[in-house]
Amino acid sequence: MNLYLSIVEQNLLSAPVLFFCLGFGASLLGASIALPSGVSKMIAIYLMLAIGFKGGAAVSMGVLSSEVLLCLFVGVVLSGATPFAAFRFLGYVSPLPATERAAIAAHYGSISIVTFTAATDALIRLGLEFSATMAAVAAAMEAPAIISAVYLLRKAGSETRSDGQLAKQSVIREVFFNVTIIVLVGAFAIGAVTGKNGLSDVSGFLVDPFRGVLCLFLLDLGAVAGQGLRTGWRSLSWPLMLFAAWMPALSAALAFLSALALGLSHGNAALLMSLAASASYIAAPAAMRMAAPDARPEIYLTMALGVTFPLNLLVGVPLYISIASILAL
């Protein structure tokens, strides 16, 4: 318990988290401090580029360890399986049609790269080691959940556009060619090719400013999340709000059991739990706009960004790191 409280204190007093709280609180009070969409997108690309490049450089200085490969396997399985469980649970707690349940399920199987970034930042501040190549696990966990959700939509007969034409090609394009996967995987490959020298060349751009840029991005993300919750809460029932809180906890528990069975290190286990518990608000919304045009973004985006993300940032990440410490005993 003392470890958890210590991690919570450090996390809540960290600059990135406090900037998120500033943006979130200001937006809930009605202030408009969100960055222009073009600036926000540029910052998001920067963060993904930095994470991918550093992961690729780490690979060039060694190899993908067996532990990271195991995380990769478990992460893909969890990402692909979670939408089926989420879809079924939503059917029990909500009268939402299959289209919207599948769209929500996609978000809770796919991952949030910013939650992953916040978790790595917390581990660095705590002095806990983890593999930089866990960025490959984050990249691999984006698409399987979206593919599973598209399958659920097809099974429910909801995979068509409003004009009745199948949207398969557009969905495939959104799944495999969305900006998150392209930048993460591409930067990872460039980092692996250029190695230590490449990392040294761009350290002044990708390494040193990283934490400051993360603060700016979380300020903006807090503003967007607060605005979404302030305007979209009427679309959410209490069962959906509770789902947005306990579904990540269930996913994190499954990731922890996998980490325990595989004997993962403390840091890598905490990152795997953070990835499993996160909810996508970049790749999944883009794909669901194509695959499920009738699903309401005010529901799935408010759940993922307005409820799950703040809970993970303020409570979840410290909890996952604390629980994963069992593996270090």
Side-chain angles (χ1 to χ4, degrees):
M1 187 64 177
N2 289 335
L3 174 63
Y4 172 67
L5 293 176
S6 174
I7 295 173
V8 167
E9 182 181 5
Q10 287 201 43
N11 196 52
L12 291 180
L13 294 179
S14 72
V17 173
L18 288 174
F19 273 107
F20 176 85
C21 292
L22 173 62
F24 190 77
S27 263
L28 283 180
L29 293 174
S32 179
I33 60 174
L35 298 175
S37 59
V39 176
S40 180
K41 184 176 181 179
M42 182 180 70
I43 294 175
I45 291 174
Y46 168 86
L47 293 175
M48 290 182 284
L49 189 149
I51 292 167
F53 193 95
K54 287 186 285 187
V59 168
S60 75
M61 292 180 250
V63 292
L64 277 174
S65 67
S66 59
E67 184 168 314
V68 173
L69 290 174
L70 288 172
C71 286
L72 193 66
F73 173 76
V74 171
V76 169
V77 171
L78 285 174
S79 176
T82 297
F84 292 97
F87 183 83
R88 180 65 62 88
F89 291 151
L90 284 166
Y92 293 142
V93 303
S94 170
L96 289 174
T99 303
E100 294 196 322
R101 284 188 284 131
I104 295 170
H107 290 69
Y108 283 86
S110 191
I111 61 100
S112 159
I113 196 64
V114 183
T115 303
F116 174 77
T117 306
T120 59
D121 185 66
L123 289 172
I124 291 170
R125 283 185 287 104
L126 291 166
L128 297 174
E129 294 185 357
F130 62 92
S131 174
T133 52
M134 285 294 290
V137 180
M141 289 180 70
E142 282 275 14
I146 299 172
I147 295 170
S148 295
V150 171
Y151 169 81
L152 289 169
L153 287 166
R154 291 186 61 192
K155 188 176 179 182
S158 308
E159 79 284 19
T160 59
R161 293 182 185 272
S162 56
D163 61 2
Q165 296 298 315
L166 289 176
K168 288 182 182 178
Q169 291 183 346
S170 296
V171 171
I172 290 172
R173 193 182 310 116
E174 289 291 345
V175 170
F176 292 104
F177 296 96
N178 72 78
V179 65
T180 306
I181 292 179
I182 289 176
V183 175
L184 267 179
V185 175
F188 190 93
I190 294 170
V193 170
T194 58
K196 185 177 181 179
N197 291 334
L199 186 61
S200 177
D201 289 341
V202 298
S203 63
F205 175 65
L206 294 183
V207 179
D208 298 335
F210 183 85
R211 191 168 168 80
V213 175
L214 178 61
C215 288
L216 182 60
F217 187 66
L218 284 178
L219 172 68
D220 177 61
L221 205 57
V224 173
Q227 176 68 17
L229 191 60
R230 190 165 69 91
T231 59
W233 66 271
R234 293 181 181 84
S235 301
L236 301 183
S237 62
W238 278 109
L240 288 178
M241 297 277 278
L242 291 173
F243 174 89
W246 63 254
M247 187 67 206
L250 176 61
S251 297
L254 292 175
F256 173 73
L257 291 176
S258 301
L260 194 62
L262 298 172
L264 301 183
S265 66
H266 182 181
N268 286 349
L271 288 180
L272 183 63
M273 292 172 70
S274 299
L275 284 168
S278 64
S280 172
Y281 53 84
I282 297 176
M288 289 303 104
R289 278 199 301 268
M290 306 298 300
D294 296 330
R296 290 170 288 178
E298 60 266 29
I299 292 181
Y300 56 69
L301 270 179
T302 303
M303 289 174 67
L305 189 55
V307 181
T308 301
F309 180 71
L311 282 176
N312 270 329
L313 193 66
L314 301 176
V315 180
V317 168
L319 183 62
Y320 309 145
I321 295 174
S322 179
I323 292 174
S325 66
I326 294 173
L327 297 167
L329 299 178

